[in-house]
Amino acid sequence: MPEQNGGPAGSSRDPAEAAALLLSGLQYAVFERTAPERFLQVNAAPAWFERLQQRTAEGPPVALARQFSALEGFLPTAEACWASGSETPLQSDFFTETDLDGNEYHLLAVAVTTGGRHFLAIERADATYVNHEQLQIYAREMVNLYETIIQLNREVEQATQAKSQFLATMSHEMRTPLNAMLGMADLLAETELDSDQRRYVGIFQRAGANLLGLINDILDLSKVEAGHLELESVEFDLAETIGRVLELTRVRASAKGLELESTFADEVPRVLVGDPLRLRQILLNLLGNAMKFTDAGRLEVRVGQDPEDPAPGALQFQVRDTGIGIPPEKLESIFENFSQADSSTTRKYGGTGLGLAISKRLVGLMGGRIWVESEPGQGSTFLFTVRMGVSDRPALEASPDDAARKPAEPAPLPPSHILLADDSEDNRFLMGEYLKHSACTLDFAENGEIALSKMKSRHYDLVLMDAHMPMMDGYTATQAMRVWEQRHGQPPLPILALTADAFKEAADQSAAAGCNAHLTKPIDKATLVEAVRRYALKCRRSPERSFAGTPAGPVQTAAVVAPPAGPEGAVRTGPAPRHDSSLAALAPRYLKNMTKELKALRDAEAAKDDATVQRIGHNLHGNGASFGFPRFTDLGAELEQAAKEGRWHEIHRAVERFAGYLEQVLESSAERE
């Protein structure tokens, strides 16, 4: 019969010996704690442990802390665990020991309490250690990668902010002189010109319009990439929208002898909900691109249901041409920024390649995609899809005579008293010229403080407020005006921000300050007149405003005589009013202002007044080239930047160069006279 201890009959082996033998086979060195820091080995030591023990001549009871220095930190914790009576094993960190031959062993120590006795087991854990170390490496790599990603994100955000700030600044700086250039070209076109002069002015206007279009394209692309471009959601008539697109391109198409038409599928809804302005921009970009590369034949716009999406409002647009076509290897790259099918096309046909890149991004915002099908010499078809809402409102039926009917002449502006706040004398002069032959009365303010003072003491129907002015900027002045109106129970006065800042953030800032609208420079005469017509009338319908003070002086006016009216209030047609004297005097007047600015610069330099130098430099930079003096623009940029950084030696050199150049210009002008 088997013995009670479970061993075979007649066995002389002790179960404790069997357990010790098993522990040795498992490569454990097991010790029982006999006293603090004193241990008695329980099992026969594994071979690896014997090799480590050969480093010392000390025998049992073994002082393990002297044999394995790594245990010095672990044993106090083990003692506390044993004292607590906890039977939960306590494991040390990995530690490494080396035998007399230089071999390394990766070890673990485990403290255990069982049956009221305390044990310490030392395990050789090379494989476990390697896996542990590998996991540690992976963990460290993940942490480093995560930190790198965070840092890159910060850098991208900083770069995006810097790019947005740069574009906002460049937009302001480019639009300010462009405002004067295009404005003066429009005014000059209204005078009596001979055929050569009219051709020159036409070239001037087209070049300025192309430059403005390029600025707008760059800003649109930046807005889309930065996620700042938001689509509208309004009801619009699809046929009317496409009709306007064709109307805008028909003149150019006719000049090249191209046919232009559009086709609508029967299932296409006529009244949609979306952003008609951006849809029109896409179609104008595609038609303009098609027209540029098509010398003969026709252009066609087709609209139908998206064949891959049966949902109402899911549409497919096609713009077809009979132009030069596109090589297969270029079909994808043409939608990238500044890309064209052939690098030589930029020189031959003009353009920057931004139109298609912007169209691709706008189409993406509308939930669609864009692509092109083309063969060299066989023309091209640009296709894009969009997803829009469908309105229940019926479309307006177009009359057969609508296409031939000319738009009605706008009614003349009613008498309106307008306050224009702008620190640029040249911009004030331009706005005055725009309204010179209207019934509008203009009062000028050179900064926000003056504008606020005049607003408190006089009646105005409208305020045109430049955003960036010395002393008090336009935003602060607008906020102060709104506070004053509330305190005195006055109805809100229409205030229109007039600035070269074209970014959404600037428009948001204008709205937050209390402006009714945000007009972006360069502003043409028609836009200004329409803004006056729209907003000044609102104030004239409101109750009369009362004022705490009285006028401080005579009001400056642009003009007080309205154009003569014909039968039934229609504006008479005929030659535009002459104002050659104003334009002829423009350059001498500007140079006279430059003489004053030179004196102000010298005074500011002597007083170390960097704010004045920066302001004058900013105005020179914005207006010099507009009046035919690009050197003033360059010197203005130098002065502005040097003043920002306080580099007075560079300011002095720039002032002297400015004085020398002004003297040359004045001498040249005197010789011509």
Side-chain angles (χ1 to χ4, degrees), residues 596-609 612-613:
K596 296 178 181 177
E597 296 286 50
L598 175 59
K599 182 180 183 305
L601 278 173
R602 292 196 186 280
D603 292 343
E605 182 186 1
K608 299 297 183 183
D609 182 0
T612 298
V613 175

Side-chain angles (χ1 to χ4, degrees), residues 386-664:
V386 296
R387 292 179 60 90
M388 294 190 177
V390 178
S391 173
D392 296 331
R393 180 174 63 84
L396 297 175
E397 294 295 333
S399 167
D401 299 329
D402 282 349
R405 186 183 295 122
K406 294 182 179 180
E409 290 285 347
L413 290 174
S416 301
H417 194 183
I418 300 172
L419 173 61
L420 171 62
D422 197 314
D423 64 313
S424 170
E425 183 178 356
D426 299 310
N427 284 337
R428 296 196 300 270
F429 176 76
L430 179 61
M431 297 297 106
E433 288 295 301
Y434 276 164
L435 299 175
K436 184 173 184 178
H437 296 278
S438 73
C440 295
T441 300
L442 271 181
D443 195 2
F444 300 110
E446 291 77 19
N447 58 57
E449 285 187 354
I450 298 175
L452 178 61
S453 176
K454 290 189 174 185
M455 173 265 185
K456 291 179 179 179
S457 61
R458 305 176 184 178
H459 169 81
Y460 293 106
D461 298 305
L462 182 69
V463 176
L464 298 174
M465 183 73 74
D466 183 34
H468 302 287
M469 294 181 290
M471 305 293 292
M472 180 185 289
D473 62 43
Y475 301 124
T476 305
T478 299
Q479 291 171 341
M481 289 179 179
R482 296 308 187 205
V483 171
W484 185 89
E485 288 172 336
Q486 292 178 357
R487 289 178 178 174
H488 292 79
Q490 299 294 336
L493 176 66
I495 303 176
L496 311 185
L498 185 61
T499 173
D501 290 339
F503 276 74
K504 180 179 181 296
E505 291 81 0
D508 292 342
Q509 189 174 4
S510 298
C515 294
N516 298 81
H518 183 89
L519 303 181
T520 304
K521 297 176 184 177
I523 181 172
D524 57 29
K525 181 179 179 180
T527 301
L528 178 65
V529 169
E530 180 57 32
V532 172
R533 188 192 315 281
R534 177 180 178 185
Y535 289 96
L537 288 178
K538 289 184 178 181
C539 185
R540 295 184 64 81
R541 294 192 190 105
S542 64
E544 284 297 318
R545 298 163 56 92
S546 60
F547 298 89
T550 57
V555 175
Q556 303 178 50
T557 61
V560 293
V561 181
E568 300 179 358
V571 176
R572 295 177 182 173
T573 58
R578 289 182 57 89
H579 45 276
D580 291 347
S581 58
S582 298
L583 296 174
L586 185 59
R589 173 183 174 277
Y590 180 72
L591 293 176
K592 184 178 180 181
N593 289 341
M594 292 303 98
T595 303
K596 296 178 181 177
E597 296 286 50
L598 175 59
K599 182 180 183 305
L601 278 173
R602 292 196 186 280
D603 292 343
E605 182 186 1
K608 299 297 183 183
D609 182 0
D610 54 353
T612 298
V613 175
Q614 183 176 339
R615 176 184 60 80
I616 296 175
H618 178 80
N619 288 337
L620 288 172
H621 186 199
N623 292 318
S626 303
F627 295 95
F629 304 103
R631 181 60 176 155
F632 284 148
T633 290
D634 297 337
L635 290 170
E638 292 181 27
L639 285 167
E640 183 179 12
Q641 188 61 36
K644 286 180 180 178
E645 300 175 4
R647 301 194 304 268
W648 286 101
H649 61 288
E650 294 185 16
I651 291 174
H652 176 73
R653 290 202 298 265
V655 170
E656 294 306 314
R657 289 198 296 270
F658 174 76
Y661 178 65
L662 178 59
E663 183 179 358
Q664 294 176 9

Side-chain angles (χ1 to χ4, degrees), residues 311-394:
L315 305 179
Q316 182 187 86
F317 292 79
Q318 299 183 25
V319 177
R320 298 187 172 190
D321 65 61
T322 55
I324 61 176
I326 304 170
E329 66 274 11
K330 299 292 185 179
L331 292 180
E332 292 297 329
S333 63
I334 60 172
F335 292 105
E336 301 303 322
N337 298 349
F338 303 101
S339 176
Q340 292 189 337
D342 185 346
S343 60
S344 64
T345 60
T346 302
R347 296 186 296 272
K348 183 176 180 181
Y349 296 98
T352 62
L354 282 177
L356 294 180
I358 294 171
S359 297
K360 179 179 179 180
R361 286 161 172 76
L362 291 177
V363 167
L365 290 176
M366 294 182 179
R369 64 187 186 95
I370 188 171
W371 70 100
V372 60
E373 299 172 354
S374 180
E375 293 183 14
Q378 301 299 316
S380 304
T381 300
F382 283 83
L383 305 95
F384 68 92
T385 61
V386 296
R387 292 179 60 90
M388 294 190 177
V390 178
S391 173
D392 296 331
R393 180 174 63 84

Side-chain angles (χ1 to χ4, degrees), residues 119 218 252 376 394 424 457 467:
F119 298 92
I218 293 174
R252 287 179 57 200
S424 170
S457 61

Side-chain angles (χ1 to χ4, degrees), residues 110-132:
V110 181
V112 180
T113 295
T114 179
R117 300 167 68 181
H118 310 308
F119 298 92
L120 180 70
I122 300 178
E123 172 192 2
R124 183 177 182 183
D126 293 300
T128 306
Y129 172 81
V130 171
N131 292 336
H132 171 78

Side-chain angles (χ1 to χ4, degrees), residues 120-325:
L120 180 70
I122 300 178
E123 172 192 2
R124 183 177 182 183
D126 293 300
T128 306
Y129 172 81
V130 171
N131 292 336
H132 171 78
E133 286 298 300
Q134 192 63 50
L135 289 174
Q136 291 285 356
I137 292 172
Y138 289 155
R140 286 193 293 271
E141 289 178 349
M142 292 299 295
V143 169
N144 292 337
L145 181 60
Y146 177 72
E147 292 176 349
T148 301
I149 292 173
I150 291 177
Q151 180 62 30
L152 289 175
N153 283 337
R154 290 198 193 99
E155 293 175 0
V156 169
E157 290 175 1
Q158 292 172 355
T160 301
Q161 292 174 356
K163 173 184 172 183
S164 298
Q165 183 62 39
F166 171 77
L167 288 175
T169 302
M170 290 305 299
S171 167
H172 177 80
E173 298 301 333
M174 296 172 72
R175 285 173 179 271
T176 296
L178 196 56
N179 180 52
M181 292 167 60
L182 293 178
M184 290 303 165
D186 291 342
L187 292 173
L188 189 59
E190 295 179 357
T191 66
E192 291 184 356
L193 304 172
D194 60 35
S195 58
D196 287 339
Q197 291 171 332
R198 190 161 297 281
R199 186 170 69 254
Y200 300 154
V201 172
I203 294 172
F204 187 17
Q205 289 175 309
R206 288 192 296 273
N210 289 338
L211 178 57
L212 180 58
L214 175 59
I215 295 173
N216 290 336
D217 282 347
I218 293 174
L219 291 177
D220 277 347
L221 184 62
S222 174
K223 290 177 184 177
V224 174
E225 290 180 342
H228 293 164
L229 192 146
E230 298 178 0
L231 297 180
E232 289 187 340
S233 183
V234 298
E235 291 184 343
F236 68 96
D237 188 303
L238 180 60
E240 180 185 2
T241 298
I242 294 182
R244 291 181 181 178
V245 171
L246 298 183
E247 180 181 348
L248 290 171
T249 55
R250 196 175 301 281
V251 174
R252 287 179 57 200
S254 299
K256 296 188 71 172
L258 302 175
E259 298 180 8
L260 184 62
E261 63 181 45
S262 61
T263 304
F264 290 82
D266 293 337
E267 68 273 13
V268 174
R270 288 300 191 264
V271 182
L272 302 173
V273 179
D275 193 329
L277 177 63
R278 295 304 179 181
L279 177 61
R280 189 158 63 241
Q281 182 178 357
I282 296 170
L283 291 171
L284 285 172
N285 280 342
L286 296 182
L287 279 171
N289 184 75
M291 199 178 307
K292 183 164 55 176
F293 298 103
T294 303
D295 294 327
R298 58 202 296 269
L299 306 175
E300 182 181 5
V301 177
R302 292 185 179 183
V303 188
Q305 182 71 34
D306 183 353
E308 298 181 0
D309 189 347
L315 305 179
Q316 182 187 86
F317 292 79
Q318 299 183 25
V319 177
R320 298 187 172 190
D321 65 61
T322 55
I324 61 176

